[in-house]
Amino acid sequence: MLKFEHITEIGGYGKVNSWEKVYQEWKSFPDLEVTLKEELEHIKDDPKALEDAFYKELTFGTGGMRGVLGPGTNRMNIYTVRKAVNGLAKYLLENVVNVKDRGVVIAYDSRYMSKEFAVETAKVLGAYDIKAHVFESLRPTPLLSFAVRYLATAAGVMITASHNPPEYNGFKVYNEDGGQMVPSEANQVIAAIKETENELSVPVLEQDELEEKQLINWVGQYIDNAYLDQLRQITKMDQNGLTQNKDLQIVFTPLHGTANDLVLRGLEQLHFENVDVVKEQAIPDPEFSTVASPNPEEHQAFTLAIELGKQKNADILLGTDPDADRLGVAVKNKDGEYTVLTGNQLGALFADYLLSHSEQAVLNNARFIKTIVTSELGRAIATSYGVETINTLTGFKYIGEKIRQFDATGETFILGYEESYGYLIRSFARDKDAVQAAVMACEMSHYWKQQGKTLLDALEVLYEKHGYYLEGLTSLTLKGKEGSEKITEIMEAIRKNPLTTVGGLTVEKTEDYLSSERVIISSKQTETIELPKENVYKMLLENNSWVCLRPSGTEPKIKCYYGVCESTKDQSESTLAALKETMETFMNQIIEK
């Protein structure tokens, strides 16, 4: 039986006869960067390593690209970055106005080669006379999103691999609105990238030329200060509550990433003064040496924060991922132990707090945004306040796109979140923002502490009112060419032979986002799904339960999401377990076939 949540290596790497030619081109390239040349020499007698490095080009998806560092077309290095930027530059010059004057803003995180890739980005843009605004030191992803809007640049680039392992880095592209590029934009960038035949020959200007021609502008603290001015305004506290010192005990860890300065300054300006930082994790470290994974979704990432929290008797623990777009929160349970909230739980608490502290005039035009695999508890809460909920596909780019539409329609954005620890409170940034979320989580925790409750107590109140919503996830990694084929087989199987029951519950509707078709099983009626096409398949079951299958767009994974709503915790846990057992058996049978 396949063990889920673990990496499974399946098979080989694909086209054999083309990668060797590309490898020889790299090997014989006279100006190959020294470190990459040394690494290539190191693996010259390892055919499997060479094939993996060259058998394909690193995939550029809708959000950009992400991969292992090293030589080769299937790796993150200065040449694959240059090729991506070359395509971006061509796209911008053809599709965006005043590109050369407005320029592109570039930020980077604490990973290996991040600053180098940021400078390489500027060097390629400079060859097209496009100005680059590059942060002088590492910054969070949400600040990059804000900077695009603040500087009114033509685009933004963030060098990060988010919470991936240390050997990874990535390249994320933002449109002129500060949101991640949506497919209609990204597809044009991808087409422009494909026109660049040889990544080794992309034209660049050297850094001294950029300086001389004033094509590089080093960005400093003034962007941070402008962001903090906006951050101060997200509070729901009145002036008296805002200025008083808070007795909330906070422990914070940036997990060796970029969030330390902005989170601390954001809390300080709201007069949260009892903040202790996990010292071992406050220093940027590309090895992320104190954690198995720098991902606040993984409970092990809170180990040191929990130790410090117990010493300080902390009310709340905060953890941000390396590029500070995801936030994890832990609070004490009735036994005095720290419990890490799920993304769905924290999102529901945000929804209730923000909506309960908003005026009716705001609520009348307010819109709450979530994804199709995010808990329905948020919708139930929004509905109770008379607020409309909007579903998007998975990926914060779609939430950002919807906010951009609100700028034209006059609708009011009130909150957006994903189950994967991504939240946006206010739209001065257009990507998930762990800095905003960290400050608001502390404000919310302070509010409930004044009522004699913890966040867990507040959550229980929501369950009692709306039903016991519970969610789960099976994440299966299948590497290599055959792994990709197995993921395709799973999706084909669920479409060709649809399940009629899952975990003993009847399937009432199916939603195939690839065909944009919703089928009502009892009447066999069909409806059109008004969302972009994507390889996602969802089953809506009786008793408000659901299951959704989705291949990852950035990793060799297929994910199965589950949602249930029963009247008690025990009933929800039992139903959830039944759904997971059915779907894991279904996937396992296809993989082992």
Side-chain angles (χ1 to χ4, degrees):
M1 186 73 178
L2 185 70
K3 189 175 181 182
F4 287 84
E5 302 296 347
H6 288 263
I7 293 175
T8 305
E9 183 75 57
I10 296 184
Y13 292 91
K15 297 178 181 178
V16 175
N17 47 3
S18 60
W19 69 263
E20 293 171 328
K21 179 183 176 183
V22 182
Y23 161 59
Q24 290 298 334
E25 290 175 356
W26 276 60
K27 183 181 177 183
S28 60
F29 184 58
D31 298 321
L32 193 69
E33 194 269 331
V34 174
T35 303
L36 295 176
K37 192 171 187 177
E38 292 173 352
E39 292 181 33
L40 214 51
E41 179 69 18
H42 182 69
I43 62 172
K44 67 178 183 179
D45 297 321
D46 186 344
K48 187 174 182 181
L50 286 173
E51 185 178 6
D52 192 32
F54 288 97
Y55 87 101
K56 67 173 185 176
E57 293 185 356
L58 198 61
T59 302
F60 193 101
T62 55
M65 63 184 184
R66 190 183 302 178
V68 174
L69 293 162
T73 56
N74 190 32
R75 296 287 183 265
M76 282 291 295
N77 52 64
I78 64 170
Y79 302 109
T80 53
V81 168
R82 286 177 180 179
K83 184 171 184 176
V85 182
N86 198 55
L88 174 63
K90 290 182 176 180
Y91 162 80
L92 291 174
L93 290 169
E94 292 177 8
N95 294 277
V96 183
V97 299
N98 300 329
V99 173
K100 293 183 179 182
D101 292 335
R102 295 163 67 192
V104 175
V105 60
I106 306 162
Y108 53 92
D109 67 5
S110 56
R111 289 179 175 272
Y112 288 118
M113 295 297 293
S114 281
K115 186 169 186 179
E116 289 86 346
F117 290 160
V119 173
E120 289 295 331
T121 301
K123 288 163 66 174
V124 176
L125 292 171
Y128 288 90
D129 290 326
I130 299 173
K131 190 170 188 175
H133 306 272
V134 185
F135 278 94
E136 60 190 5
S137 58
L138 56 83
R139 292 295 194 282
T141 289
L143 192 72
L144 182 278
S145 173
F146 172 79
V148 172
R149 298 176 59 76
Y150 185 77
L151 296 172
T153 60
V157 169
M158 182 72 200
I159 307 296
T160 179
S162 190
H163 53 271
N164 275 57
E167 63 271 22
Y168 280 77
N169 211 328
F171 178 93
K172 291 170 70 173
V173 182
Y174 288 76
N175 60 29
E176 61 185 329
D177 192 54
Q180 290 187 48
M181 282 191 168
V182 294
S184 59
E185 299 165 320
N187 289 340
Q188 295 180 71
V189 176
I190 293 167
I193 292 171
K194 289 179 179 178
E195 291 174 2
T196 306
E197 293 185 4
N198 189 347
E199 61 280 340
L200 300 175
S201 60
V202 172
V204 297
L205 287 186
E206 292 306 318
Q207 190 173 334
D208 56 351
E209 294 179 87
L210 296 176
E211 304 275 6
E212 182 182 333
K213 295 183 176 183
Q214 296 185 321
L215 286 171
I216 188 166
N217 170 43
W218 295 99
V219 180
Q221 286 282 329
Y222 72 95
I223 300 287
D224 305 45
N225 296 335
Y227 173 90
L228 288 163
D229 285 342
Q230 292 292 319
L231 184 64
R232 185 185 293 109
Q233 297 173 41
I234 75 172
T235 181
K236 293 295 185 179
M237 293 184 284
D238 58 25
Q239 190 60 33
N240 182 54
L242 180 62
T243 56
Q244 72 178 13
N245 292 331
K246 318 296 190 298
D247 64 350
L248 193 74
Q249 290 292 141
I250 302 165
V251 163
F252 169 56
T253 172
L255 295 178
H256 302 293
T258 60
N260 199 39
D261 181 62
L262 283 180
V263 168
L264 293 182
R265 291 172 68 187
L267 290 171
E268 182 182 15
Q269 66 184 12
L270 296 188
H271 295 273
F272 287 98
E273 298 179 354
N274 302 321
V275 185
D276 291 284
V277 179
V278 179
K279 291 180 181 178
E280 302 94 324
Q281 297 172 333
I283 302 169
D285 173 13
E287 281 295 321
F288 311 113
S289 52
T290 65
V291 290
S293 169
N295 184 358
E297 291 183 81
E298 306 287 345
H299 292 188
Q300 55 79 27
F302 275 94
T303 300
L304 293 181
I306 288 172
E307 290 178 9
L308 184 58
K310 289 179 177 178
Q311 293 174 27
K312 301 294 183 178
N313 193 28
D315 297 298
I316 186 170
L317 313 180
L318 309 171
T320 53
D321 69 344
D323 69 319
D325 62 353
R326 297 172 194 256
L327 173 76
V329 167
V331 293
K332 278 186 180 177
N333 60 25
K334 288 181 171 59
D335 298 323
E337 298 296 322
Y338 287 101
T339 297
V340 180
L341 298 173
T342 69
N344 283 313
Q345 289 172 334
L346 184 58
L349 288 164
F350 278 144
D352 182 66
Y353 178 76
L354 292 167
L355 293 171
S356 66
H357 286 78
S358 296
E359 297 178 0
Q360 187 58 48
V362 174
L363 297 179
N364 290 340
N365 200 39
R367 302 291 182 265
F368 159 58
I369 311 175
K370 72 175 194 66
T371 74
I372 59 173
V373 296
T374 300
S375 172
E376 290 296 312
L377 177 56
R379 183 193 300 275
I381 293 166
T383 300
S384 72
Y385 287 97
V387 170
E388 181 183 339
T389 297
I390 296 174
N391 259 358
T392 71
L393 294 175
T394 304
F396 225 88
K397 56 184 172 285
Y398 295 113
I399 294 177
E401 181 186 32
K402 189 60 65 174
I403 298 170
R404 188 178 193 175
Q405 293 171 12
F406 293 169
D407 292 341
T409 63
E411 295 164 277
T412 302
F413 171 71
I414 199 83
L415 173 69
Y417 68 87
E418 297 179 307
E419 84 298 333
S420 54
Y421 286 53
Y423 318 93
L424 185 63
I425 313 296
R426 286 282 186 91
S427 60
F428 54 84
R430 294 292 167 94
D431 200 0
K432 48 189 178 287
D433 188 340
V435 181
Q436 286 191 42
V439 171
M440 185 53 70
C442 290
E443 177 177 323
M444 185 168 62
S445 184
H446 169 68
Y447 169 80
W448 284 112
K449 186 175 182 180
Q450 289 181 311
Q451 317 301 314
K453 290 182 170 67
T454 67
L455 291 181
L456 287 174
D457 296 328
L459 187 63
E460 199 61 37
V461 171
L462 293 177
Y463 287 144
E464 290 172 3
K465 181 177 180 180
H466 300 288
Y468 208 99
Y469 287 82
L470 193 62
E471 294 76 36
L473 171 68
T474 296
S475 181
L476 179 61
T477 301
L478 299 166
K479 295 179 108 179
K481 178 175 178 286
E482 288 186 27
S484 177
E485 290 171 352
K486 288 294 183 184
I487 291 172
T488 299
E489 286 178 28
I490 290 170
M491 297 304 295
E492 288 178 349
I494 198 71
R495 289 184 168 104
K496 289 179 179 177
N497 299 292
L499 300 176
T500 56
T501 63
V502 182
L505 297 179
T506 301
V507 178
E508 295 183 337
K509 298 178 184 178
T510 61
E511 294 180 339
D512 189 342
Y513 291 84
L514 197 59
S515 63
S516 300
E517 187 176 71
R518 179 182 298 110
V519 178
I520 302 166
I521 304 300
S522 59
S523 63
K524 296 184 179 179
Q525 288 182 309
T526 62
E527 300 172 348
T528 300
I529 298 172
E530 301 295 341
L531 286 173
K533 291 182 183 295
E534 192 163 287
N535 189 17
V536 178
Y537 188 88
K538 188 172 183 178
M539 293 172 282
L540 305 177
L541 316 174
E542 60 181 311
N543 294 355
N544 295 316
S545 295
W546 55 270
V547 172
C548 186
L549 274 169
R550 183 181 76 89
S552 172
T554 57
E555 300 170 282
K557 289 183 177 182
I558 184 167
K559 296 181 177 181
C560 190
Y561 302 82
Y562 315 93
V564 302
C565 179
E566 304 283 5
S567 57
T568 69
K569 180 180 180 181
D570 287 345
Q571 287 176 320
S572 287
E573 287 178 342
S574 176
T575 301
L576 184 65
L579 298 185
K580 292 184 77 169
E581 182 179 2
T582 297
M583 294 308 298
E584 289 180 3
T585 299
F586 168 79
M587 289 188 287
N588 185 60
Q589 287 173 343
I590 295 168
I591 290 163
E592 293 185 342
K593 185 166 54 177

